[in-house]
Amino acid sequence: MTKTEMLMSQALRLAENGLFSCSPNPAVGCIIVKDGRIIGEGFTQPPGGNHAEIQAMADAMAKGHDIRGATTYVTLEPCSHFGRTPPCADVLIRAGVAKVVVAMVDPNPLVAGQGLARLQAAGIVVESGVMEGPAREMNIGFFTRMQSGKPWVRLKVAASLDGKTALHNGQSQWITSQAARDDSQTWRARAGAILTGIGTIKEDNPQMTVRSARAIQLVRQPLRVIVDSKLSINLDAEILVGGGNLIFSAVADTKKQAQLEQQGVEVVVAPNLNGRVDLLQVIIELGKRQINELHVEAGSKLNASLIRESCVDELLVYLAPAILGDGRGIFDMPPLTTLQDKFSLKFHEIKQVAEDLRILARFH
């Protein structure tokens, strides 16, 4: 690894500090180097707060350092437009930095190379493409939304080695270890929204909140999204506690909607031709609401429907070293008649978590 890559890796580690708080903005890290040593560090603050570059410059100045002539390492192209904050590219120019090294160009159409062009026009040396792969992975949801208008959809399941998520009688607590369950909470925490179906709510009555130690770092809980075609949810369901939910239904029930709205719940009616919720429209709508990553924890029927309708980007599978025999499966799929019809994925990452395996597999 080159020195430039080592410095960018450090900036990426800083960026991780914003993963659970800066959405819908990307998690970005920045370090400022002068005379061979780091003089400032920063990462993206919650929406409305400083971007990583501004934080790093403030850190350097607070320590009494002169930024002029320094090199800035940042994991994403400095912005060039006015959003919640002024353009970072302009601030870097005014600060008099000599060089800016970025991991990758910002896919946001409002930036998309304009930040780097502005820096170069001001006489600043620019280098891009350093550690681009890890930088893209860290903000895969943001990049997906910028390029497709939809969030990155991650479907999580916990199962035995023979693919069972529960016993035949529905008992499922607990198939995987506490360590695996804690790890799963981290994925919940980084998501902008958590989606489940009415079947899971009626059977398990979950809260669908982040409850691990990671929750302490959160400035917000993910939006809780419910797919409920008949709008049959009980008004006292645990998931509705605290309000702020979003329910997608296939029917317009004025009375029930009014009751839910009094509890701080928004209902969106989005039917498909079969009288059920249009799942693709759900994904598109969440993208419009600036959700970068959508975390799905649902039952086998909704899991299967999301996959059949090409709404899932990635599976997050926790496999326990156990065999349950006849029980409930991960996906309630109709039988295939030919192997050519199978849903193919690629293993992206396989990691052991305590005694369980965590598998990330992607459809594309």
Side-chain angles (χ1 to χ4, degrees):
M1 182 178 288
T2 66
K3 184 177 180 180
T4 298
E5 290 172 336
M6 290 175 64
L7 289 167
M8 188 61 76
S9 293
Q10 189 160 340
L12 284 165
R13 286 193 292 272
L14 278 170
E16 291 177 356
N17 292 304
L19 270 176
F20 308 101
S21 60
C22 68
S23 180
N25 293 330
V28 179
C30 177
I31 61 174
I32 300 174
V33 178
K34 188 174 183 180
D35 299 328
R37 63 192 184 100
I38 296 173
I39 62 172
E41 299 180 334
F43 59 90
T44 309
Q45 300 301 295
N50 287 337
H51 288 190
E53 302 94 317
I54 309 303
Q55 283 290 107
M57 285 189 282
D59 181 48
M61 288 186 288
K63 295 173 181 175
H65 295 294
D66 184 357
I67 301 172
R68 287 174 297 179
T71 299
T72 300
Y73 295 80
V74 60
T75 59
L76 187 66
E77 174 186 8
C79 62
S80 57
H81 68 291
F82 279 90
R84 295 183 179 91
T85 59
C88 292
D90 290 351
V91 180
L92 288 169
I93 292 169
R94 289 196 299 270
V97 300
K99 183 176 181 179
V100 175
V101 181
V102 302
M104 64 178 297
V105 173
D106 191 337
N108 186 339
L110 296 174
V111 185
Q114 296 179 56
L116 297 184
R118 189 173 296 187
L119 293 171
Q120 288 176 315
I124 296 173
V125 177
V126 170
E127 182 180 351
S128 63
V130 179
M131 305 292 289
E132 181 173 352
R136 182 178 294 276
E137 280 297 317
M138 182 171 296
N139 289 295
I140 193 167
F142 175 77
F143 298 139
T144 300
R145 181 169 67 85
M146 287 296 107
Q147 293 166 343
S148 71
K150 297 182 289 186
W152 178 264
V153 181
R154 182 179 294 114
L155 192 158
K156 175 258 177 178
V157 293
S160 60
L161 279 181
D162 54 343
K164 299 300 186 293
T165 61
L167 300 179
H168 187 72
N169 62 10
Q171 183 181 345
S172 62
Q173 296 182 347
W174 296 104
I175 295 174
T176 54
S177 65
Q178 182 65 52
R181 298 197 297 277
D182 289 343
D183 188 79
S184 173
Q185 288 281 315
T186 301
W187 292 96
R188 274 191 186 187
R190 64 177 281 170
I194 300 173
L195 181 143
T196 193
I198 187 61
T200 297
I201 292 172
K202 289 186 174 180
E203 187 161 325
D204 299 333
N205 197 23
Q207 292 179 314
M208 287 294 175
T209 55
V210 179
R211 298 183 297 279
S212 71
R214 283 287 189 185
I216 299 173
Q217 301 179 25
L218 285 176
V219 295
R220 55 100 181 110
Q221 284 280 350
L223 173 70
R224 291 174 292 176
V225 182
I226 303 159
V227 175
D228 182 6
S229 290
K230 298 180 181 179
L231 203 58
S232 59
I233 190 169
N234 291 326
L235 296 176
D236 59 354
E238 285 290 329
I239 198 170
L240 300 182
V241 174
N245 304 85
L246 179 60
I247 298 178
F248 286 91
S249 177
V251 297
D253 184 333
T254 306
K255 181 179 178 181
K256 187 69 170 287
Q257 285 179 233
Q259 292 174 317
L260 288 164
E261 288 169 0
Q262 288 179 349
Q263 295 182 216
V265 178
E266 181 182 356
V267 178
V268 175
V269 180
N272 61 17
L273 296 177
N274 298 319
R276 304 191 68 79
V277 170
D278 188 323
L279 296 176
L280 181 56
Q281 285 304 310
V282 170
I283 306 303
I284 292 172
E285 177 62 26
L286 292 176
K288 291 178 180 177
R289 293 174 185 240
Q290 296 189 305
I291 299 299
N292 291 332
E293 293 186 12
L294 175 62
H295 182 86
V296 179
E297 292 191 27
S300 60
K301 291 183 179 179
L302 182 53
N303 285 347
S305 295
L306 285 164
I307 288 174
R308 287 200 307 270
E309 296 183 32
S310 301
C311 292
V312 179
D313 297 294
E314 179 177 65
L315 297 184
L316 170 62
V317 182
Y318 293 90
L319 281 183
I323 296 174
L324 300 186
D326 186 22
R328 302 186 181 184
I330 300 173
F331 308 110
D332 187 2
M333 293 277 196
L336 301 179
T337 56
T338 172
L339 284 175
Q340 293 179 337
D341 295 332
K342 69 181 182 294
F343 295 88
S344 297
L345 299 93
K346 291 184 178 180
F347 288 123
H348 177 68
E349 180 184 81
I350 300 175
K351 180 179 179 180
Q352 187 161 350
V353 179
E355 63 263 35
D356 305 313
L357 286 182
R358 185 186 74 194
I359 299 171
L360 285 173
R362 293 178 175 174
F363 285 93
H364 51 75

